[in-house]
Amino acid sequence: MNILFWVLQVILAWLCIAGGYFQMFKLGQLQEDVASMRELPHSLWMMLGAIGFIAGIFLILPAALGRLPVVTPVAAAVIAVHSLLICALYLYYGDRAPLPYSLAMAAIAAVIVYGRFVLKPL
């Protein structure tokens, strides 16, 4: 079970770090296809990208280093809320294409939160 949670954490961390990077530094490319990225301020997407990027790092480092491992499920909870917020923005602006990606991230994060707080704490 622990291996499953580590695999999920690594996958989610990779998605968060890559997604956060794109939201912060490649927003122009995302704005071509996603209406909410064009409509909302660049600084908002920069902040959301930074939150995702940092939370992705905190999914791995604290548990891997053995320092404050409780930060890992907290980071997963932040990602779940973050992803649901982004889903709401996509729905409001009528963006359907990126919705499954964000919903999948929220679901994976919720599994990690439940698993790390209840089933197999670090």
Side-chain angles (χ1 to χ4, degrees), residues 86-98:
I86 289 177
C87 285
L89 292 172
Y90 289 155
L91 286 173
Y92 181 79
Y93 287 101
D95 294 320
R96 299 290 186 252

Side-chain angles (χ1 to χ4, degrees), residues 48-116:
L48 289 172
I51 289 169
F53 190 91
I54 291 168
I57 291 170
F58 283 152
L59 274 175
I60 302 297
L61 280 185
L65 297 176
R67 299 253 186 205
L68 294 171
V70 73
V71 172
T72 295
V74 171
V78 167
I79 292 168
V81 171
H82 173 268
S83 295
L84 291 174
L85 173 65
I86 289 177
C87 285
L89 292 172
Y90 289 155
L91 286 173
Y92 181 79
Y93 287 101
D95 294 320
R96 299 290 186 252
L99 199 55
Y101 172 81
S102 292
L103 285 173
M105 287 182 62
I108 293 169
V111 168
I112 293 169
V113 170
Y114 181 73
R116 288 301 186 196

Side-chain angles (χ1 to χ4, degrees), residues 4 6-7 9 16-17 23-24 33 47 55 57 79 82 84 92 97-98 101-102 104-105 109 111-112 115 122:
L4 172 66
W6 271 107
V7 169
Q9 285 170 224
C16 289
I17 291 168
Q23 286 176 338
M24 290 187 296
D33 298 323
M47 181 189 68
I57 291 170
I79 292 168
H82 173 268
L84 291 174
Y92 181 79
Y101 172 81
S102 292
M105 287 182 62
V111 168
I112 293 169
L122 291 170

Side-chain angles (χ1 to χ4, degrees), residues 12-25:
L12 187 59
W14 185 83
L15 291 172
C16 289
I17 291 168
Y21 175 83
F22 262 81
Q23 286 176 338
M24 290 187 296
F25 302 113

